[in-house]
Amino acid sequence: MNKPKKRWVATHVPRAFHESVPAEVRPKLTLFKDAWFVVYLVLLIPLSVALGMELLFALPRSDEWVGTMILALCICFAELGLVSLAIKLLPISRGTPLRLVLMALAWGGVVAATLAGAVFSFPWLSVSEKLGLHALSMSLAAAVPEEVLKGLGVWILLWIGRAWWNRPWHGLVAGMLVGLGFGAVEHMTYALNLAVLHPESDVYGVIVFYGMRLILVPLLHMLMTGIVGYGIGKAMYEGPRLGHPARFLQLAGWGALAMSAHFAWNAQFPLEWSGATNLVFRVVLWLMLAGTVVWLIVANQRRLKPLQRAGLEPAVTVYSKVY
């Protein structure tokens, strides 16, 4: 006689209801530890070591190297802490546990940043240079591998963290956190590499160049990956009202928008273009990206508000095996 097969059943319940059940009898919320969780750890652990080595090699060779590194880390962690706190305070982020925030920042800052910089960007750069696409080489080397790697992280995090992240707007949240981690580590790496150019001190150099990155590239990766993440969230969690073709279009459309913006940002303009023209172009592009992300946040918060008033959100997903 054949034994009945086990299957998983997902039950969405309001978090308030879940927490009203005594702790000793309610199902425990935990990360979904399957193959993708293993992939996350297998990539994170060795790449953390690789990132540490990369930062050490980026340090200026001077007596101030210890203070320079500590200061760079402090500024990086301050950026990560303040901006991630602002993201977590958004209504669409309500219910997000700290562990998912840290995991998203780690994927962006460690996995995506290291793989993009050390592995995947160089082939794209080499191909574009050999094809004579010199003005687009930085665009191809950054836009494609970076957005794909960051988007992969969003997908993995939505999958293994779906006990809490179970709605389309959570893709936007995850994307902003992944992009924030990527951007902060990129700022720190540039600041350490360029600190030696400061005429007075490497420590001052880190402050100046990190500050310049914050001003000239303000949360750019956070905005772009937020858009990518929203497409992934729509594709995963929009529900039966979207068929498979529509889900694919959501994923492809939002991803193409972010990748195109990244491509345009990194494009090298002709020498005859004035600096003012380049500046205006990038300001307009950044405003378009920021406006898109703000619109997505507001639209989804309006969608969320009646559910919150009814006590249905934030919701958690409880997974149980049945026969």
Side-chain angles (χ1 to χ4, degrees):
M1 184 175 179
N2 293 330
K3 292 183 179 180
K5 292 183 178 180
K6 294 180 181 180
R7 63 187 179 90
W8 287 95
V9 172
T11 306
H12 298 279
V13 296
R15 182 162 185 156
F17 172 78
H18 181 266
E19 293 177 348
S20 69
V21 178
E24 59 272 15
V25 297
R26 71 177 179 232
K28 184 179 179 181
L29 299 178
T30 185
L31 297 171
F32 209 80
K33 296 175 182 177
D34 59 1
W36 287 113
F37 182 75
V38 175
V39 169
Y40 180 92
L41 292 180
V42 167
L43 289 173
L44 179 66
I45 294 171
L47 289 174
S48 297
V49 177
L51 176 63
M53 298 299 295
E54 180 184 349
L55 294 177
L56 286 175
F57 282 121
L59 277 172
R61 300 296 179 261
S62 69
D63 296 337
E64 299 177 319
W65 72 270
V66 176
T68 303
M69 174 60 87
I70 292 175
L71 180 60
L73 288 171
C74 287
I75 299 173
C76 181
F77 287 140
E79 180 188 2
L80 292 173
L82 291 173
V83 181
S84 61
L85 177 61
I87 294 172
K88 202 168 184 310
L89 290 175
L90 293 172
I92 59 173
S93 299
R94 197 162 297 164
T96 296
L98 179 60
R99 75 186 84 173
L100 282 182
V101 173
L102 296 177
M103 289 178 71
L105 295 174
W107 179 277
V110 177
V111 179
T114 306
L115 283 179
V119 180
F120 291 104
S121 290
F122 289 111
W124 286 89
L125 184 63
S126 177
V127 169
S128 58
E129 291 290 344
K130 289 178 180 178
L131 291 175
L133 303 174
H134 306 294
L136 302 179
S137 59
M138 295 305 297
S139 296
L140 290 169
V144 178
E146 289 179 7
E147 295 310 321
V148 169
L149 286 168
K150 290 183 291 179
L152 175 62
V154 172
W155 190 90
I156 291 175
L157 289 162
L158 289 178
W159 180 263
I160 64 180
R162 61 188 186 273
W164 302 272
W165 278 345
N166 45 39
R167 296 292 185 262
W169 47 82
H170 289 144
L172 175 61
V173 174
M176 288 192 293
L177 290 169
V178 169
L180 172 63
F182 189 103
V185 169
E186 188 178 71
H187 293 338
M188 180 170 60
T189 305
Y190 272 101
L192 288 172
N193 277 300
L194 297 175
V196 69
L197 299 179
H198 196 278
E200 296 184 24
S201 164
D202 295 340
V203 173
Y204 290 150
V206 165
I207 297 173
V208 169
F209 289 111
Y210 203 117
M212 288 177 61
R213 291 279 304 179
L214 287 174
I215 295 171
L216 298 176
V217 194
L219 302 177
L220 186 68
H221 286 284
M222 187 189 86
L223 298 175
M224 292 185 297
T225 315
I227 292 172
V228 173
Y230 182 67
I232 297 171
K234 291 277 284 185
M236 289 182 68
Y237 292 131
E238 190 56 60
R241 76 186 192 89
L242 282 182
H244 290 296
R247 291 186 181 191
F248 174 78
L249 288 174
Q250 289 284 342
L251 178 63
W254 291 108
L257 175 61
M259 199 173 291
S260 298
H262 198 159
F263 186 93
W265 184 277
N266 281 27
Q268 304 298 305
F269 294 104
L271 294 175
E272 58 268 19
W273 284 34
S274 67
T277 303
N278 290 332
L279 178 61
V280 170
F281 174 82
R282 284 174 170 77
V283 168
V284 171
L285 182 58
W286 186 89
L287 290 174
M288 291 173 62
L289 282 170
T292 301
V293 171
V294 170
W295 172 72
L296 289 174
I297 291 172
V298 172
N300 282 280
Q301 287 182 172
R302 288 177 177 173
R303 183 180 175 186
L304 179 63
K305 189 173 294 184
L307 298 174
Q308 288 179 328
R309 284 199 297 262
L312 301 176
E313 290 287 343
V316 296
T317 307
V318 178
Y319 290 87
S320 55
K321 286 182 179 179
V322 298
Y323 288 96

